[in-house]
Amino acid sequence: NYHRFLLLDSTNVWAKNGLLSCDSARLWKKLPQRFSVKKCDYLNSRKSSDFSPVVMNDDGSLILFTSSRVAKGVKGIKNSKITGQRNNDLYTVRRNNKGKWEEAVLLPEGVINTDMDEGVACLGSDGKTIYYTVCRSIPGETHGAEIYYSKRSGNDYSEPKQLIFFKDSTVTIAHPAMSPGGEYLYFVSDHFSGYGGKDIWRSERNGTQYGAPVNLGHGSPV
C-alpha cells in the first residue's frame, strides 16, 4: 500500500517513512532477541494509567512512578480535562528482603501530591532530589505544565519549589530528565522560540542554580 501511494505522491515523507519501517520490521524479525518484554504486574493497576517508572536506588528495589489510581483514603481529586481520568499522582513501590514487591505507596499528600496533576518525574544525581511535572488548574488563571523539585530524607520530602525557565507562565515546561552526571536538566517545552510544537531543551546546572535553557534543535550540542 505504501508503494501504491508513492506512485501517486513520490515525495510524501510519511509514506517513505512507513515503507522504511516495514523493511526495518522485516529485518528485526531475523535478529535474535536479547530482552523479553513482559507486563509489570506489580506496578500496574486494573483500570488506571501507570507510567514513567524511575529506579530510585542502586539495587532497583525502590521505584517511583506516576499513576491515576485512587489511593486508599484519598478523596476530592479532580479529573483531568485532557484524559477524563483522575489526575495523576506520584507513588513508590518497594521490593522487600524476600524479593516480593509490596503495595504501592502514595507520596506525601499536600507536599508532593495535591488535587492537581503531578507526575513524570526523574531522580537527581544526588539520588535524593526528585524533579517532577505539575499541571495546575486554577480558575481565572492560565498555566502551562511546570517543573517542581523536592529533596527526600527517609520518608519525608522538603517543600517543593518551582523551576522557572521562562517568564511566561502559560508556557509548558514538563517531563524533566537529569543527565547521568547531573550537569544538565533536560525538559520539554512549547516556548515560542522553539522550532514548532514541543521541543527538547536543556539547562546547565551550576551548584543549586540552573542556566538559561538551550533548545536542542538544528545541530545544537547534546
Side-chain angles (χ1 to χ4, degrees), residues 21-184:
S21 298
C22 292
D23 291 339
S24 298
R26 189 163 49 187
L27 293 173
W28 294 336
K29 287 184 178 181
K30 298 179 181 178
L31 298 174
Q33 299 297 313
R34 293 193 301 158
F35 299 96
S36 177
V37 179
K38 298 180 181 179
K39 186 178 179 181
C40 191
D41 289 330
Y42 59 85
L43 283 183
N44 292 319
S45 49
R46 289 187 60 190
K47 297 181 179 180
S48 302
S49 296
D50 307 284
F51 54 99
S52 296
V54 178
V55 177
M56 298 188 73
N57 56 1
D58 293 336
D59 64 4
S61 61
L62 182 65
I63 294 177
L64 173 71
F65 68 101
T66 303
S67 179
S68 62
R69 68 184 66 189
V70 179
K72 294 180 180 178
V74 177
K75 299 179 180 179
I77 303 299
K78 301 175 183 178
N79 286 346
S80 168
K81 294 180 180 179
I82 298 174
T83 66
Q85 287 191 330
R86 178 185 178 278
N87 276 337
N88 296 298
D89 281 325
L90 286 163
Y91 289 76
T92 57
V93 61
R94 184 181 298 274
R95 185 177 61 211
N96 60 30
N97 294 333
K98 296 181 180 179
K100 182 179 179 181
W101 289 95
E102 299 174 345
E103 186 175 349
V105 176
L106 180 73
L107 261 61
E109 281 189 86
V111 181
I112 303 296
N113 291 315
T114 68
D115 62 347
M116 302 300 178
D117 199 334
E118 294 95 7
V120 190
C122 75
L123 192 64
S125 57
D126 61 1
K128 297 178 180 179
T129 305
I130 63 168
Y131 299 82
Y132 61 102
T133 307
V134 177
C135 296
R136 295 191 293 160
S137 178
I138 301 175
E141 299 182 14
T142 302
H143 293 271
E146 302 161 334
I147 294 177
Y148 283 71
Y149 68 95
S150 173
K151 183 164 288 189
R152 175 169 60 101
S153 177
N155 293 324
D156 297 324
Y157 288 82
S158 65
E159 186 69 24
K161 295 182 179 180
Q162 183 183 356
L163 287 178
I164 299 176
F165 293 108
F166 303 110
K167 293 182 180 180
D168 187 350
S169 64
T170 65
V171 171
T172 284
I173 304 171
H175 299 189
M178 183 68 70
S179 62
E183 302 94 340
Y184 298 100

